[in-house]
Structure formats: C-alpha cells, structure tokens
Amino acid sequence: MDHTLLVLGLLKLEEMHGYQLSDLIDKRLKYLTDLKKPTLYHLLGKLEQAGAVTQSVSRAGNRPERRTYRLTAVGEKQFRALLRQNLQDAPAAYFNDDIGLLFLSEMPAAEARALLEQKRAAVDARLAEIAQGVAAHDANSPAYYTLRHHQLHLLTEQTWLAELLAQLKKRAVREDILACLAAIESAAAVPAKTRRRKI
Amino acid sequence: MDHTLLVLGLLKLEEMHGYQLSDLIDKRLKYLTDLKKPTLYHLLGKLEQAGAVTQSVSRAGNRPERRTYRLTAVGEKQFRALLRQNLQDAPAAYFNDDIGLLFLSEMPAAEARALLEQKRAAVDARLAEIAQGVAAHDANSPAYYTLRHHQLHLLTEQTWLAELLAQLKKRAVREDILACLAAIESAAAVPAKTRRRKI
DNA sequence: CCTTGAATAGTCCATATTGACTATTCTAAA
DNA sequence: TTTAGAATAGTCAATATGGACTATTCAAGG
C-alpha cells in the first residue's frame, strides 16, 4: 500500500512524531495524497506492531505527550521493497469523471454543457496554481516531479474537456432542431382555432 | 459518492439483481471503477434502506434466490443530483506514482531507470489495448468517452515517463562519473605497494 | 488580566472496503 | 457418467478510512 511507502519514506528521511507527519502531509504534500490523521495514526500503530518503526514517548513542557517514531532496519527493508514495487508497477487508474460521462445522455446537452463548463473553470484554476509551483521549484527536486506530473495531467484534462464540450455543442444544436421540429409538428396537430387563441 | 451514482444510473437504465450489476461492472465497466462485490451489496443495502431502490426477491429453478433492484422516484432524484455534482466538480486527483518519485533520490539512478522502464512497458501495453477499444467504438457512445479519456491520460503518462527517464539518464551519468572519481581518489590514498598487489 | 482563536497532539465511533469463503448449478470432456 | 472447472449469487469477518470530537498551550488584542 502506498500510504505505507510514504510514511516509511518520510521517517527514513527524519524521525518524527505523529502530528508532525500529519501536518507535513496535509500542507507540503497535499498534491501527493490526502491521507487523513486517523488513518495515519492507525498505520503508525500497525507499523510499530510489525516492527518497522519504534516509538519513543516524550513530552515537552506540559504539552500532551508525543510519540516519536523512528525507522528500524526492518522498516528500511520494507521501504526499499515498496519503493521498487511502486516504481515498477503501473496500477490501473480510475477517474471519477468517467462515471458522470457514462450517463451524459440522461441529461439535455445544454445542461450538461453548463455543468461541464464549471468543471473546466475549476481545472483552469487548479492549473494556474500548479503552474506557479512548477515555476518556483528547481527541476530535479522531488516536489518538482509531483507538480510537473500533475501539471501534465491537468493539461490533458483541459484538452479532454475542450474536445468533449465541442462534441456536446454539436449535440445541443441537434437537440434544439429536433425540439423545434417537434414543436411545429404538435402545433400542426392542434386544430386551427386553438392555435389562433395562443397567438 | 460516485459508486452510488454508478449503481443508481445503471438501475435507472434497467432493473437488475446484485450479481448482474457486479458482473457488468467487473467486465464491461472495468475501466470505470473497481467496485468490488461486497462493497456493491453493502451499497445496495443502504440504498434500499434509504428508499432509493426497492428489492423484489425471486428464484429461477433451484438457484439461490435473487434480489432484483429497481430504482424508485426518490432514487431517480438522487441520481440527478449526483450526476449534476459529478459533471460540475473537478475533485483533486492523486497519483500513486508520485509517492515513488518523492523518494527517487534514495536509490541509484541506474536501478530506478530499470524499474521505471518496466512501468513504461506496462503503460505501453495498456495503451495498445485501449487503442483497440477506441477504434472499435462509435464516437459519442458512453463507452467511447471512457476509453478516449483513458487513452489521453495514458499518453500523458507515456510522455511523462519519457521526460523522467531522460532526466534520470543524465543523473546516472553524473553518478557514474562521481563514483569513478571517488574510486580514483581512494586508490590514490592507498600506499603504492598495496595498489600494485591488486593489479 | 482575560478572552478568543489558532496551533498542537491525538482519539472515538461509524462507515466503507475487501480477501476469503459458502453453496449451488451448469457444461464439457474423459 | 462422473467429475473437474466455470458461472451464479451472495456472505463474513477483518481492515481501512474519515467526520467530529477532546484537551491542552500559545499569542495577541481589548
């Protein structure tokens, strides 16, 4: 599991206590994963039980006690194995967006377009944010890798949305024409007197 | 949650029993999600409790009984809401690969390259598979959307891996040179006699 | 000096997810 | 014809995840 790789790797770089790890992941590594605090503590507990990390309780002043975790030799071995796996494998990726697309035909094209435009705006915004990060970081730094990777995928998403919206525009036009024809037909079916009333 | 959207949407298209749904998702929709059977049954139970679907038990021959699920009006409303949300939102995406990249410097560049080459091969293979699917499907069909979307992201991944491997190649060369220099230096530090022995 | 809000450090309980299992029926080959 | 394996239909127990909570400390303003 990749949460494990992350935690072991961070502890390899430097021993840390739970909150430090959690804070680091939330703030500096927010593009990497969204590992939450309770999940992290759960994982640390398991790792300790497995002997991959050791805990040392301490307290500074009157603050709540802090359990500082340090990587053991076992943990280091596990880290290497997981890292190799991670670099080697290309696990299947899933996109939530695809589920919505599956049911695109259950909704008028015009409405779908409006909604997807909002999605596009959100992607654009995120892209702008990332572009800043990419510019700020030295190529070759680990943070750069993550940002650049995200940037590429967001650009892809942009392209994809553009393609999709173009298709949808065509479909919307077709639906409009059909609706128009249907209206004319039903109007023709109504007796002449009734029609006049409405005019 | 998008599993819910998927299940409601499928039941909107056609009433189905649990195993049918599960089979459909496993086989035809394998690019969409990897919703597992127990998760599906759990979800169906919840949806029934919430009144979004109704269950009707039946049996054909001597087979185990089948619970056939049908969408209710409540379920349909929920479906629409979730679909709108899904089309509108652009949730943050995370890539497992990034976690490995974070620790790339913990490993000699040469080894990392070998591993990443395997990843690349896997991506290439998947891409070939998808290209077939894209060619086989009518543009505009829902399946086409999914496949095309995946294709674009896999192409991005290919580009990304190429970029990364090029960088790593440079780093490997640098590391080689450094190792070489270090070897020379340590050889120079050894007294002359000892050095001769080794030759 | 007191209070309010952020930061620190972590826990609880409810929910979601899944590997492994049960149990029956069909199918096709030995 | 029997028997091994795939398909059908689902369940169980264990694990992972996350929203909401506790409890303390610090910093700054009124």
Side-chain angles (χ1 to χ4, degrees):
Chain A
M1 206 144 293
D2 292 306
H3 287 160
T4 306
L5 173 58
L6 179 62
V7 169
L8 291 178
L10 292 177
L11 289 178
K12 182 180 155 85
L13 297 181
E14 186 171 12
E15 77 180 52
M16 276 189 267
H17 56 89
Y19 189 78
Q20 245 176 85
L21 266 171
S22 173
D23 206 47
L24 180 63
I25 291 171
D26 274 12
K27 295 190 179 144
R28 283 192 158 39
L29 305 180
K30 66 172 168 231
Y31 292 116
L32 261 187
T33 183
D34 65 341
L35 183 61
K36 301 288 199 305
K37 240 183 324 164
T39 309
L40 173 65
Y41 280 105
H42 175 68
L43 184 54
L44 283 171
K46 269 198 349 171
L47 287 175
E48 198 204 356
Q49 226 203 319
V53 303
T54 53
Q55 215 188 54
S56 66
V57 176
S58 73
R59 67 186 338 146
N62 229 353
R63 299 196 139 284
E65 57 179 28
R66 302 193 297 191
R67 299 121 182 239
T68 300
Y69 294 93
R70 178 202 305 273
L71 202 64
T72 66
V74 171
E76 189 140 348
K77 193 169 283 182
Q78 196 185 345
F79 167 74
R80 278 180 212 297
L82 288 175
L83 179 55
R84 269 190 228 107
Q85 268 248 319
N86 180 292
L87 290 176
Q88 166 173 198
D89 293 355
Y94 300 100
F95 302 96
N96 288 332
D97 292 9
D98 287 342
I99 295 181
L101 296 184
L102 188 61
F103 302 116
L104 210 52
S105 53
E106 301 295 313
M107 179 182 276
E111 188 182 354
R113 277 182 67 203
L115 293 167
L116 286 170
E117 284 293 357
Q118 292 186 50
K119 194 196 286 265
R120 172 147 73 168
V123 168
D124 288 353
R126 190 148 335 127
L127 207 41
E129 201 185 308
I130 297 251
Q132 286 203 329
V134 168
H137 279 275
D138 183 35
N140 246 3
S141 85
Y144 175 83
Y145 286 144
T146 306
L147 287 170
R148 173 76 179 138
H149 192 196
H150 266 70
Q151 190 183 35
L152 287 175
H153 277 285
L154 281 172
L155 286 169
T156 300
E157 208 55 24
Q158 226 180 18
T159 306
W160 162 245
L161 282 172
E163 196 177 308
L164 186 62
L165 283 166
Q167 285 227 356
L168 233 50
K169 192 166 183 176
K170 277 193 230 157
R171 216 182 84 190
V173 169
R174 208 162 44 235
E175 278 176 16
D176 264 4
I177 293 175
L178 288 176
C180 210
L181 287 175
I184 290 170
E185 215 162 292
S186 77
V190 173
K193 277 180 193 173
T194 317
R195 235 192 305 160
R196 287 233 174 85
R197 278 255 175 86
K198 280 200 170 166
I199 295 168
Chain B
M1 204 144 297
D2 290 306
H3 287 160
T4 306
L5 173 59
L6 178 61
V7 169
L8 291 177
L10 291 176
L11 289 178
K12 181 179 154 85
L13 298 181
E14 185 171 12
E15 77 178 53
M16 274 188 270
H17 55 91
Y19 189 78
Q20 245 175 87
L21 266 172
S22 172
D23 205 48
L24 179 64
I25 291 171
D26 274 11
K27 295 191 179 145
R28 284 192 158 38
L29 306 180
K30 66 171 169 230
Y31 292 116
L32 261 188
T33 181
D34 66 342
L35 183 61
K36 302 284 198 309
K37 241 180 328 161
T39 311
L40 172 64
Y41 280 105
H42 175 68
L43 184 54
L44 283 170
K46 272 199 345 175
L47 288 174
E48 198 204 355
Q49 226 202 320
V53 303
T54 53
Q55 214 187 56
S56 67
V57 176
S58 73
R59 70 188 333 148
N62 227 354
R63 297 196 139 286
E65 55 179 30
R66 302 192 301 192
R67 298 120 181 239
T68 299
Y69 294 92
R70 177 200 307 271
L71 202 66
T72 66
V74 170
E76 189 140 347
K77 194 170 283 182
Q78 196 184 346
F79 168 74
R80 276 179 214 296
L82 288 176
L83 179 54
R84 269 189 228 107
Q85 268 249 320
N86 180 290
L87 290 175
Q88 166 172 197
D89 294 354
Y94 300 100
F95 302 97
N96 287 331
D97 292 9
D98 287 342
I99 295 181
L101 296 184
L102 188 60
F103 302 116
L104 211 51
S105 52
E106 301 296 313
M107 179 182 277
E111 188 182 354
R113 277 182 69 203
L115 293 167
L116 286 170
E117 283 293 356
Q118 291 186 52
K119 195 196 285 267
R120 171 148 73 167
V123 168
D124 287 353
R126 192 151 330 129
L127 206 41
E129 200 184 308
I130 297 251
Q132 285 203 329
V134 168
H137 278 274
D138 186 33
N140 245 3
S141 84
Y144 175 83
Y145 287 144
T146 305
L147 286 169
R148 174 78 180 138
H149 191 197
H150 266 70
Q151 191 183 34
L152 288 175
H153 278 284
L154 281 172
L155 286 169
T156 300
E157 207 56 25
Q158 224 179 19
T159 304
W160 161 244
L161 282 172
E163 196 177 309
L164 186 62
L165 282 167
Q167 286 227 355
L168 232 50
K169 192 166 182 175
K170 277 193 230 157
R171 217 182 82 192
V173 169
R174 209 162 43 236
E175 278 176 17
D176 263 4
I177 293 175
L178 288 176
C180 211
L181 288 176
I184 290 170
E185 215 162 291
S186 78
V190 174
K193 277 181 192 170
T194 319
R195 233 194 305 160
R196 285 232 175 91
R197 279 257 175 86
K198 280 199 171 167
I199 296 171

